[in-house]
Structure formats: C-alpha cells, structure tokens
C-alpha cells in the first residue's frame, strides 16, 4: 500500500509539474485565454488522468515492457549491431541515431495503426476533442504494446542497454507531451527539423484534408519523404477528434476498440449471406 501511495504521489507531482510548465508556455503563447479551462477541457483532462491510472500511459508502461520485450528480442535470435560501432561516438550522437531509426520505424507503425483493423485501438488517442498536453496519455493499452515493441526492437537491434532504451522512452515521452500541448508553435526555420505542436495538431485535426497526414513522431522529414506532410499554418482553432467520437469518459474510451472490433466481426460474419445478391 505504501508503494502504491508513493507511486501515486510521485505521479501526481510529475503531472502537477507538467501542468505548471505547459500552462506557463500556453500563457506566453496565447495570453490570459490559456488560463481558462472550460468544462469540455476539464472533462478531457479528467478522462486522460483516469486513463493514465489504468494503463500507465504516461511512460511507465514503456518502462514495464522494455525488459520482457528485450528478452523476447534476444530469444528470437534477431540480429544485433556490434557494440564497437558506438564505443567512440559521443552519447548525443548515439541518442540521435537511435531516435532517427526509431522514428523511421514508428512512422510506418503509425501508418499501420491508421488502417481499418488497427484503427479502433489508435482511435482512442485521436478521440480527444480538447487536445492538450495530457492528450498524449490518452491511448489504448492494446496499441501501447505495439508502440513499445517498436522502440525496444529498434533499440535492441542497435545494441542498446535497457537503461539506454528507458532513457530514449523518457525523451520521447517529454517531447510527446510537448507536441500535444495547446501551443501554436511551428518552430520557424526548424519546422522541418523537429515535430512541433502545430504540425502534430494537424495530425489530430478533424478535417478531411488533414486525414492520414503527419505520421512522424519526432522528425517531419519522413512525412516529406513519403508524401504525408501537411502544415498549412495555424491549427490552434481547428477541431480535433474523430468522426464517430466516443463519449469523453474513461469507461467508454476503454471499451471503444472492443466494441468496434466486435462490429467488424459481425459484419464479416454476415458478408457471405449477401454474396451474389443483386
């Protein structure tokens, strides 16, 4: 019980610190309007907080999955780069190389999550109608296994140690909180170097022209390379969410993918009955 309370207190402190940081940044960006949290935004924040408690999607799940996934990688006998490749390189270069490889892999994983069968799991993340820094934590546990696997497998291939993989997960997590925040920053001359809040908000935009765009998590160059780049300008007032947005509460969000997959199975089961009907 003491461990649970200590963990909860630590998590509350982290979230409290993030709230202060991103509120200050939003105030610098948007003025007094950033200090106003209307009821829909408060409801969204509560839902995201409950999802964090249930699935530990604030980063803890990645850390929990890292060790067993790394062991699984070794058990499969998959290739590993020679550690000597990294011995003389500065830590910053090693980290940058790892993030580039990981983001390239995640770009394609992200695109797969937007396909019909996997979409219900990822749709939970897209369902937040009030995108803010806690929205990164709104994700279904079924998709987190896939995303964590992508991080661990690419890092294991590069010969990284467990603590180094955990460090990369932390860096990515902080960046994801930032790009989901309610800031209309585009990074200016660096807009094509590092994913910005404006760039990623367009990925969440509930407008047809932005669908299936901006899949890169860290480096927008991958969207440039593969024809999925979209950033026409300010996105701060663009609606977010999905067409059939589930209710903005914890239970509905958790059950949503299973309900959708059940509908798919029922539709597939009925398909033969209509075969050949004109």
């Amino acid at each position: 019980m003491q461990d649970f309370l200590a963990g909860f207190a630590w998590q509350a402190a982290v979230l409290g610190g993030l709230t202060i940081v991103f509120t200050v940044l939003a105030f610098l960006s948007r003025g007094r309007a950033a200090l106003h949290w209307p009821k829909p935004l408060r409801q969204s924040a509560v839902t995201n907080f409950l999802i964090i408690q249930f699935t530990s999607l604030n980063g803890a799940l990645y850390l929990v999955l890292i060790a067993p996934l790394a062991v699984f990688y070794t058990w499969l006998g998959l290739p590993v780069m020679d550690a000597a490749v990294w011995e003389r390189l500065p830590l910053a270069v090693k980290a940058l190389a790892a993030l580039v490889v990981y983001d390239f892999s995640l770009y394609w994983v992200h695109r797969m999550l937007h396909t019909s069968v996997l979409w219900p799991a990822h749709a939970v993340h897209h369902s937040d109608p009030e995108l803010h820094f806690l929205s990164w934590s709104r994700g279904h546990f079924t998709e987190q296994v896939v995303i964590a696997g992508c991080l661990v497998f690419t890092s294991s291939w590069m010969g990284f140690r467990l603590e180094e993989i955990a460090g990369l997960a932390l860096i990515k997590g902080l960046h994801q909180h930032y790009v989901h925040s309610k800031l209309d920053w585009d990074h200016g001359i660096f807009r094509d170097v590092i994913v910005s809040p404006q760039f990623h908000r367009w990925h969440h935009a509930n407008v047809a022209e932005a669908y299936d765009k901006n899949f890169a998590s860290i480096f927008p160059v991958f969207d440039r390379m593969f024809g999925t780049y979209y950033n026409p300008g300010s996105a701060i007032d663009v609606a977010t969410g999905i067409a059939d947005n589930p209710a903005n509460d914890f239970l509905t969000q958790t059950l949503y993918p299973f309900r959708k997959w059940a509908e798919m199975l029922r539709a597939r089961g009925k398909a033969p009955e209509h075969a050949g009907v004109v």
Side-chain angles (χ1 to χ4, degrees), residues 42-65:
R42 295 197 302 272
Q43 175 61 44
S44 178
V46 169
T47 299
N48 293 340
F49 179 76
L50 291 176
I51 290 175
I52 291 173
Q53 302 312 306
F54 180 66
T55 60
S56 299
L57 294 182
N58 63 330
L61 181 60
Y62 291 110
L63 302 181
V64 169
L65 288 172

Side-chain angles (χ1 to χ4, degrees), residues 3-224:
D3 290 341
F4 171 79
L5 291 176
F8 184 83
W10 178 84
Q11 187 180 78
V14 171
L15 291 177
L18 289 172
T19 300
I20 293 172
V21 168
F22 285 110
T23 298
V24 170
L25 291 177
F27 176 77
L28 294 175
S29 174
R30 298 186 288 114
R32 289 179 177 272
L35 303 179
H36 177 57
W37 282 51
K39 184 176 180 180
L41 180 56
R42 295 197 302 272
Q43 175 61 44
S44 178
V46 169
T47 299
N48 293 340
F49 179 76
L50 291 176
I51 290 175
I52 291 173
Q53 302 312 306
F54 180 66
T55 60
S56 299
L57 294 182
N58 63 330
L61 181 60
Y62 291 110
L63 302 181
V64 169
L65 288 172
I66 282 172
L69 284 172
V71 170
F72 183 59
Y73 186 94
T74 303
W75 179 80
L76 290 174
L78 297 174
V80 176
M81 290 179 65
D82 188 344
V85 173
W86 307 109
E87 285 180 356
R88 296 184 180 180
L89 292 177
L91 179 60
V93 174
K94 184 178 180 180
L96 178 61
L99 288 172
V100 169
V101 171
Y102 167 57
D103 202 42
F104 176 78
S105 302
L106 187 58
Y107 172 88
W108 294 105
V109 169
H110 196 173
R111 288 189 69 159
M112 287 192 296
L113 287 169
H114 277 250
T115 59
S116 58
V117 175
L118 296 178
W119 170 247
H122 189 52
V124 171
H125 178 64
H126 275 265
S127 69
D128 199 334
E130 295 287 343
L131 198 69
H132 61 288
F133 76 94
L134 278 180
S135 300
W136 176 61
S137 301
R138 179 183 295 226
H140 205 265
F141 63 90
T142 54
E143 77 160 347
Q144 295 308 308
V145 176
V146 177
I147 295 174
C150 178
L151 170 65
V152 173
F153 275 43
T154 54
S155 301
S156 296
W157 169 69
M158 298 180 77
F160 281 24
R161 300 188 304 272
L162 291 179
E163 59 270 25
E164 293 173 321
I165 300 174
L168 290 173
L170 178 61
I171 293 172
K172 178 185 181 293
L174 291 174
H175 179 255
Q176 286 301 297
H177 278 304
Y178 166 66
V179 299
H180 286 86
S181 62
K182 201 166 185 178
L183 300 170
D184 202 27
W185 296 352
D186 69 351
H187 293 173
I189 61 174
F190 299 104
R191 69 198 308 252
D192 288 346
V193 178
I194 299 292
V195 166
S196 67
Q198 183 184 97
F199 175 90
H200 195 68
R201 185 168 287 267
W202 278 114
H203 176 69
H204 282 263
N206 191 15
V207 291
E209 56 269 25
Y211 291 163
D212 295 331
K213 302 293 184 182
N214 299 357
F215 290 107
S217 179
I218 303 172
F219 303 109
V221 65
F222 295 126
D223 286 290
R224 288 286 193 189

